[in-house]
Structure formats: structure tokens, C-alpha cells
Amino acid sequence: MEFDREAIKDGIKLYDFPVNVIVETSSYCNLKCSICPNPFMKRKKGNMDFDVFKKIVDEVAERPETTLWLALLGEPLMNPDQLIDMVYYAKRIGLKDVRLNTNGLLLTERISCELVDAGLDYVLVSVDAVKPSTYKKIRVGGDLAKLIKNIEHLMSIRYENKSQLKVVVQFIVMEENEKEVEAFKEFWIKRGAIVKVRPKLSWGNTIEAKNRNLEQKDRTYPCPWLMRTVSIQWTGRLAQCDFDYEGIYSPGDVREQTIKEIWDGEIMKRRQKHLKGDFTHPLCSTCRDWQVGLAVYYGAK
């Protein structure tokens, strides 16, 4: 499946503040997925302190155009009660767009009810398969039948509460599942979900992704993640992008600085180099995830 690589360029410019702030509320996970480096990640795992989260959210609340993503290198529902409190806090303080990424297996009826009640705007559930055998190869340790029930319960609760919550089921295209794309779309669109289809990431060449077919010499534009996004690990340390999931090249720490200070500091220097065609930073010189192309959405909007 082809993804529109050229369309990425439309969103590449110098922003005054990140378009997306990704927050790792927990780095623990209940699965060992084949497409994720979490199972062999070396940095210490933990849950974000609520005071650190509040500091982040208080600043983001001043930027209504910024999206807060509860995601990164863990399953947020591993610490469900605090996660729900975090969503409540973010929405009550005025954030317009709060999103959750989850594998959905811990999405019980109680948690679904409380997330809807808290005012969550968007939940993305990683599914990636129609066949149970395919799912087990990708989402190692998961149960597809249980996941489907969890998503259907969430959608039912959303309808009953007349919530505006968007339920998005994600399909990451890879060799193991590429023949199931159309069946996946049909299955979930019939159930009223939004379907997101996107290419596989390599997490900075950590995970094999054969859809990266351009060499560094072929680069003609900066990395979209570097230009638009910051990722904040559970400790408060920033990571430039998915390549630096260990946080080795962290440009700053929100416990000591504001997001804006970090954004205008070291990250700005890296962005300016990209705009000049300089991709020699250790995180960028061999990475090919800049060329993934935009995801495609199907179904209800």
C-alpha cells in the first residue's frame, strides 16, 4: 500500500510551540509486540508522577492549538486510575484535544465509562489484524477476541452517553498483515469506528521496516517529527523522536525547564539544521522514518 510522502511537506515549518505533545504516563506494558522496542528497552521503567504531568498540562493549556497524546513507549492503562485522573485534570484545566493510544486489552467497562465521563476526545486502539493468528504474531501476548469486545463496549458506552469521543482502530501495514487491509476496513467501518491505516515505523532502524527505500542522499525535507512534536518520557525527560526511545540525546527535562524553553533551545538548533539540509545529528544520520508518508483514514469522521 502506498502512502503520500509528499503531503508531509505541507506541515513542515518553524512552529512557535509543538503541534503535538506526547506524554509517556507509563513505560510498563502488558504485551511484547514485534513492532515495538519496549521489550528490550534499557532505560528504567516507571509511571509519571502526577506533579510532573500537571506541570506539562498547565503549560499546554495555554496553547489551545496543541494536541496532548497519552502514549509513547508503554501502555497507559497499566496505571488506569491515575490515567483517568490525568484525563480529568487535562480536560478541566481547558485542553481542547486529549488523545489516548492503547492496545485496548485493559480497557474494561469501568475504565471505558470513566474515560468517557472524563471527557477524553480521542482514543486510538492498536489492532493491526483481522485474523487471530496474525494478531498473535504482531501483538505478542494479546487476545484479539477480547480486544474486539473491549472496543465494542467502549463504542456502546460512547453512544449511550452521547459522547463526542472518536474511536479509532489502527492498522499498521507490514508483511505479516498486508493482505488483511481491506477486510480490516470493512470489519470496523461496519461497527462505526474510524479506521487509521499507516506504514510501519522502524523506531530509528531498531525494528526492521522494508518500506524504507530511500537513502539519506535522497532527502529533500526535514523530519516531520522533529519539526512538530515533542515526546516526554515518564521521568520528565524529553526525547527528540521515536529513534531516541532510550533518551540518550535528550534536549531537556520539564522538571527543570518549560516545554517552550526546551523547544526554543536545543531542539531549535536541530530543527534549523534540518531546514538547511543538515541531517548529520547522530539521531538523524541513519534514520529513515522521515519517509513513512501520511496515514490514511476511513469511515466516520
Side-chain angles (χ1 to χ4, degrees), residues 10-239:
D10 295 338
I12 293 179
K13 61 181 182 180
L14 284 177
Y15 291 91
D16 180 60
F17 195 79
V19 176
N20 301 295
V21 173
I22 302 174
V23 178
E24 183 182 74
T25 60
S26 177
S27 62
Y28 296 111
C29 194
N30 54 325
L31 298 182
K32 295 183 178 181
C33 301
S34 64
I35 52 175
C36 178
N38 183 286
F40 48 84
M41 185 171 67
K42 296 178 181 178
R43 65 179 167 91
K44 184 180 177 181
K45 294 183 179 181
N47 297 314
M48 178 171 281
D49 185 86
F50 200 87
D51 287 338
V52 175
F53 179 80
K54 286 176 66 176
K55 186 174 187 293
I56 295 166
V57 171
D58 288 350
E59 183 177 358
V60 174
E62 299 173 3
R63 309 279 180 163
E65 70 281 3
T66 295
T67 296
L68 179 75
W69 286 90
L70 307 178
L72 203 56
L73 255 294
E75 169 50 56
L77 291 176
M78 291 290 285
N79 193 19
D81 293 330
Q82 178 167 282
L83 175 72
I84 292 165
D85 287 343
M86 288 174 167
V87 175
Y88 267 111
Y89 182 81
K91 293 303 296 182
R92 296 306 174 268
I93 203 171
L95 269 68
K96 304 299 182 183
D97 193 359
V98 179
R99 304 187 177 193
L100 169 66
N101 281 27
T102 176
N103 60 46
L105 290 162
L106 303 176
L107 199 60
T108 65
E109 189 168 343
R110 176 189 72 84
I111 292 172
S112 293
C113 285
E114 294 201 33
L115 287 172
V116 168
D117 185 62
L120 185 67
D121 297 287
Y122 180 112
V123 58
L124 184 148
V125 186
S126 298
V127 183
D128 303 321
V130 173
K131 298 178 181 178
S133 57
T134 305
Y135 179 81
K136 287 183 179 180
K137 291 178 183 178
I138 300 168
R139 299 285 167 182
V140 180
D143 182 332
L144 183 58
K146 178 181 179 181
L147 176 59
I148 292 171
K149 288 182 180 179
N150 288 352
I151 298 171
E152 290 177 337
H153 280 149
L154 173 63
M155 295 179 69
S156 176
I157 292 165
R158 179 192 65 175
Y159 286 128
E160 290 172 3
N161 288 271
K162 298 180 181 179
S163 167
Q164 297 301 308
L165 174 68
K166 291 184 178 180
V167 178
V168 182
V169 290
Q170 180 169 261
F171 189 99
I172 300 173
V173 180
M174 59 196 90
E175 289 184 50
E176 293 89 339
N177 65 5
E178 60 187 357
K179 294 181 180 179
E180 298 179 28
V181 176
E182 294 305 316
F184 184 90
K185 288 159 54 178
E186 181 180 0
F187 182 89
W188 286 108
I189 289 173
K190 282 183 178 179
R191 286 160 173 78
I194 300 169
V195 173
K196 177 182 180 181
V197 181
R198 75 163 177 84
K200 183 180 181 181
L201 292 176
S202 71
W203 292 88
N205 302 331
T206 301
I207 306 295
E208 184 179 10
K210 295 182 179 180
N211 56 341
R212 308 293 179 272
N213 52 17
L214 296 179
E215 300 295 334
Q216 284 295 79
K217 62 181 178 60
D218 299 314
R219 293 192 73 164
T220 59
Y221 57 88
C223 175
W225 280 275
L226 176 62
M227 302 301 292
R228 298 168 54 87
T229 302
V230 295
S231 299
I232 305 175
Q233 296 172 349
W234 69 271
T235 58
R237 283 169 57 84
L238 264 73

